[in-house]
Amino acid sequence: MRLLNTAAALTVGAGSAGAASILLQGGTIVGFDKETDSLNVIRNGSILITSDRISAIYNDEDSSARNITHNDTEIIDVTNKIITPGFVDTHRHGWQTGFKTIGSNTSLAEYFTRYGEFAAAGKLSPDDVYLGQLAGLYEALNAGVTTTLDHAHHTWSNETAEAGLEASIDSGARVFWSYAFHNVTNYTVSEQLANFRNIAESGSFHGTATSLGVACDFFGPDPVLEDVHAVVDLAREFNVSVITTHSLAGPWGITNSPEDVHAVGALNTSIPVVFSHASFLTFRGASLLRSTNQHISITPESEMHYGHTHPHSHLIQDQGALGVDTHFTFSTDILTQARLWLQSTRRRLYSHVLDRWRIPTQTPMTANQAFLLATRNGGLALRRPDLGIIADGAKADLVIWDGDSPALLGWVDPVAAVILHASVGDIEHVLVDGKFVKKDGRIVAQDYPEIRRRFVQSARGIQETWKEMSFEALTGEFPESGASFEQPLKVDVLRGSESGYGTRFV
Ligand SMILES: *[C@@H]1O[C@H](CO)[C@@H](O)[C@H](O)[C@H]1NC(C)=O
Ligand SMILES: *[C@@H]1O[C@H](CO)[C@@H](O)[C@H](O)[C@H]1NC(C)=O
Ligand SMILES: *[C@@H]1O[C@H](CO)[C@@H](O)[C@H](O)[C@H]1NC(C)=O
Ligand SMILES: *[C@@H]1O[C@H](CO)[C@@H](O)[C@H](O)[C@H]1NC(C)=O
Ligand SMILES: *[C@@H]1O[C@H](CO)[C@@H](O)[C@H](O)[C@H]1NC(C)=O
Ligand SMILES: *[C@@H]1O[C@H](CO)[C@@H](O)[C@H](O)[C@H]1NC(C)=O
Ligand SMILES: *[C@@H]1O[C@H](CO)[C@@H](O)[C@H](O)[C@H]1NC(C)=O
Ligand SMILES: *[C@@H]1O[C@H](CO)[C@@H](O)[C@H](O)[C@H]1NC(C)=O
Ligand SMILES: *[C@@H]1O[C@H](CO)[C@@H](O)[C@H](O)[C@H]1NC(C)=O
Ligand SMILES: [Zn+2]
């Protein structure tokens, strides 16, 4: 056990312990109608949660809701509040929390030399991984992100690997913790395979909201087939919850494309595959995603911050979901991702018309679509139709928004209110598996103050190490692909100044 008080972390549902069911009474519910495949707003409605699932949804004409007076049901008044499904983040690296704010100006090429899995190997202890992962997941839960697909590339040793899994379990979040196989110093792929097998067989995550997935970035180009097959066979043997990969084609040359994954027989199976970024996806790749029902994870802020970009992602949103990626550099919440994606997609498609000196009429994308991308599509990407929706039988992963907050006051459309006006500060309660993980604006976990203290101490250590690290000059060619480096136009906000580019305050 990593912590003296791990047991406390596991009782995240303490706030509702004792009640077998919870009734959220009298709020506006953004439900999902499975018959029409669309959002379904229920005003003055109530949600009955039994154990980990939604067992009934009532509207105001439904008198049975008023009859729920059993003494084992905790009744929560949600008058004037909006209830949405929890957000689903389909791409994140939880361990990186300790880097917070130090990568504000980084580019992707620089990221690889400083902050990525290869650069960080050997520099973080198992405790650093545990605390970063746990603090990062509490940060996500606070922001209403109830499901996270974690591309866990802190697998530098048996101990750092296991620390990240343990933190995921302890967080109470729904984590698809995906063990990354990679060619890192001092820990061979065969050692990783043995460690994975050990973890899978130990079943330490059984009965928790965490499940075991696989992450792998060596599907292509030029895969070492022996390693790829070993990873794919293991994923099949243990029927993992997901396979995920970073897919960056075009000048990046780190393809891991649907074509690459299909070539090794891992695309058209019952295991979901999530392609993070899918920058420079080809038409054939998109067709494969549709015919095999696999998804991409669009990480709008990451792809703009670093410059991987997403030239075709708007054309494959039917097989798309949203992700945050490296939350140490920018927003941690899927709500911000949904808003950035909605508005930047609108801008992109408006421009196509304006570029021809014409005037756009209708909007190219709606708030409803952004809402679905942030919730249900994430569930579908993980082949979990019971995640990211509010409907009978769905998992009780829910977010309750303060409809009377200064930002929301006056709302009538709850979907527009959340997608275009709300912020993390408007989130009052969050539930995962029918248990409160955030209540009355606060993280419920009893050990949160202690974790916070220990995390800050760990982060300071990490930041000191990184402060000492010199920046590598990026000259010549990007090693992964051979594409030439080039300095983009630097803009300035101070007239006539050469120094307005500024510095980082680290
Ligand atoms: C909401 O529904 C309940 C019945 O379930 C009713 O008593 C109450 O007046 C309704 N409130 C509003 C604001 O319509
Ligand atoms: C609700 O309770 C009332 C009074 O106890 C009863 O008459 C009515 O049938 C109940 N309705 C439902 C739907 O259970
Ligand atoms: C409800 O309360 C009554 C009386 O206090 C008690 O007899 C009964 O066992 C309780 N039911 C449950 C399900 O807790
Ligand atoms: C970020 O800022 C540091 C100085 O704080 C600088 O050395 C580094 O090159 C910058 N990175 C990029 C990508 O501009
Ligand atoms: C690899 O192990 C050697 C020997 O223990 C150590 O000196 C080195 O720092 C390690 N490198 C990494 C990246 O872990
Ligand atoms: C792993 O990395 C080492 C050193 O960077 C390199 O020599 C080796 O070819 C790589 N192996 C694979 C399978 O990519
Ligand atoms: C890592 O775990 C594997 C599987 O349990 C084991 O075979 C191996 O010896 C461990 N490595 C170390 C360095 O402890
Ligand atoms: C694999 O796991 C999924 C749930 O993640 C389940 O639906 C499916 O039946 C399992 N398949 C096999 C072959 O066990
Ligand atoms: C996927 O497998 C199904 C049968 O299981 C087959 O009908 C379909 O053609 C396959 N798709 C591709 C792209 O291979
Ligand atoms: Zn990533």
Side-chain angles (χ1 to χ4, degrees):
M1 282 288 121
R2 186 157 308 284
L3 284 176
L4 295 172
N5 51 355
T6 298
L10 294 172
T11 59
V12 285
S16 59
S21 49
I22 298 173
L23 184 71
L24 304 172
Q25 198 170 47
T28 298
I29 301 166
V30 183
F32 188 79
D33 185 333
K34 293 179 193 168
E35 262 152 45
T36 59
D37 234 19
S38 58
L39 294 174
N40 169 34
V41 169
I42 301 152
R43 294 182 199 270
N44 192 10
S46 301
I47 297 179
L48 182 64
I49 298 165
T50 307
S51 180
D52 58 329
R53 297 207 179 253
I54 294 170
S55 51
I57 300 172
Y58 307 100
N59 63 30
D60 60 359
E61 282 147 26
D62 206 334
S63 59
S64 49
R66 270 166 278 162
N67 282 19
I68 298 173
T69 53
H70 311 297
N71 39 8
D72 59 350
T73 301
E74 181 184 359
I75 295 183
I76 311 260
D77 180 10
V78 289
T79 309
N80 297 338
K81 303 192 193 303
I82 298 169
I83 310 174
T84 67
F87 294 113
V88 180
D89 179 350
T90 53
H91 184 65
R92 191 176 175 101
H93 310 288
W95 65 270
Q96 294 179 325
T97 316
F99 292 149
K100 192 166 288 174
T101 72
I102 69 175
S104 65
N105 72 336
T106 201
S107 65
L108 189 60
E110 187 182 83
Y111 168 91
F112 287 128
T113 68
R114 287 181 71 79
Y115 308 109
E117 64 205 281
F118 301 104
K123 296 192 177 70
L124 269 67
S125 70
D127 267 350
D128 289 332
V129 171
Y130 180 86
L131 293 164
Q133 180 82 2
L134 187 52
L137 283 165
Y138 284 149
E139 191 187 338
L141 290 172
N142 182 61
V145 176
T146 51
T147 295
T148 294
L149 166 46
D150 197 281
H151 183 129
H153 50 22
H154 54 78
T155 46
W156 304 298
S157 67
N158 290 357
E159 292 72 28
T160 61
E162 287 156 17
L165 172 60
E166 203 180 320
S168 304
I169 294 169
D170 289 353
S171 73
R174 189 176 303 289
V175 185
F176 287 70
W177 183 79
S178 301
Y179 192 112
F181 294 94
H182 47 186
N183 180 20
V184 284
T185 319
N186 295 348
Y187 195 48
T188 63
V189 170
S190 38
E191 288 175 296
Q192 295 159 34
L193 292 165
N195 184 219
F196 179 92
R197 178 175 291 282
N198 191 33
I199 287 173
E201 283 170 352
S202 81
S204 60
F205 47 88
H206 288 158
T208 77
T210 291
S211 62
L212 190 59
V214 155
C216 176
D217 287 348
F218 50 66
F219 288 109
D222 311 321
V224 176
L225 284 175
E226 194 191 329
D227 286 352
V228 175
H229 285 300
V231 168
V232 169
D233 289 350
L234 206 57
R236 285 228 181 86
E237 181 182 341
F238 290 101
N239 187 29
V240 296
S241 57
V242 67
I243 296 175
T244 191
T245 187
H246 283 110
S247 179
L248 296 171
W252 300 105
I254 309 167
T255 54
N256 294 310
S257 62
E259 293 93 320
D260 293 337
V261 176
H262 194 42
V264 296
L267 190 69
N268 197 17
T269 79
S270 62
I271 300 175
V273 182
V274 174
F275 294 86
S276 301
H277 318 304
S279 302
F280 302 90
L281 181 74
T282 64
F283 177 76
R284 159 114 180 112
S287 306
L288 278 173
L289 291 174
R290 290 195 174 106
S291 66
T292 59
N293 189 26
Q294 302 290 13
H295 288 70
I296 69 169
S297 175
I298 305 168
T299 65
E301 194 169 7
S302 158
E303 290 154 12
M304 293 194 267
H305 176 102
Y306 289 112
H308 1 4
T309 76
H310 29 236
H312 304 104
S313 301
H314 61 291
L315 300 174
I316 185 77
Q317 293 187 79
D318 51 320
Q319 299 294 138
L322 294 176
V324 168
D325 199 7
T326 64
H327 64 296
F328 74 94
T329 34
F330 37 68
S331 322
T332 200
D333 60 309
I334 286 293
L335 173 58
T336 298
Q337 304 312 318
R339 189 175 301 159
L340 280 171
W341 179 248
L342 172 63
Q343 303 296 33
S344 62
T345 300
R346 285 174 168 171
R347 175 196 176 277
R348 178 193 292 273
L349 296 174
Y350 280 141
S351 301
H352 295 173
V353 177
L354 288 157
D355 286 350
R356 288 179 285 110
W357 288 358
R358 310 254 170 116
I359 301 298
T361 52
Q362 289 185 308
T363 187
M365 186 174 169
T366 63
N368 282 18
Q369 291 172 311
F371 187 93
L372 286 171
L373 268 186
T375 53
R376 180 171 184 254
N377 279 33
L380 295 180
L382 297 161
R383 300 221 170 136
R384 287 291 302 267
D386 61 337
L387 298 182
I389 62 168
I390 296 181
D392 275 353
K395 278 284 189 181
D397 295 358
L398 300 168
V399 179
I400 293 131
W401 305 79
D402 175 9
D404 290 331
S405 79
L408 297 189
L409 203 60
W411 64 274
V412 54
D413 179 336
V415 176
V418 168
I419 290 295
L420 292 166
H421 298 271
S423 71
V424 168
D426 301 324
I427 296 176
E428 277 189 5
H429 313 303
V430 179
L431 296 95
V432 175
D433 260 348
K435 297 187 204 76
F436 282 94
V437 290
K438 179 180 187 179
K439 201 169 189 189
D440 301 321
R442 294 186 166 271
I443 296 289
V444 170
Q446 284 165 17
D447 66 344
Y448 186 54
E450 174 65 4
I451 291 297
R452 204 157 58 171
R453 190 188 62 73
R454 294 182 54 206
F455 163 71
V456 169
Q457 201 177 8
S458 155
R460 291 294 173 256
I462 291 167
Q463 291 161 7
E464 280 306 311
T465 305
W466 258 258
K467 205 187 268 186
E468 299 307 312
M469 206 185 284
S470 56
F471 284 85
E472 271 179 41
L474 299 171
T475 52
E477 292 169 352
F478 182 58
E480 301 284 345
S481 64
S484 298
F485 283 126
E486 188 176 296
Q487 170 63 53
L489 174 69
K490 279 185 179 178
V491 289
D492 210 340
V493 299
L494 293 181
R495 195 188 303 166
S497 161
E498 288 293 313
S499 60
Y501 197 56
T503 183
R504 301 171 311 144
F505 304 102
V506 294

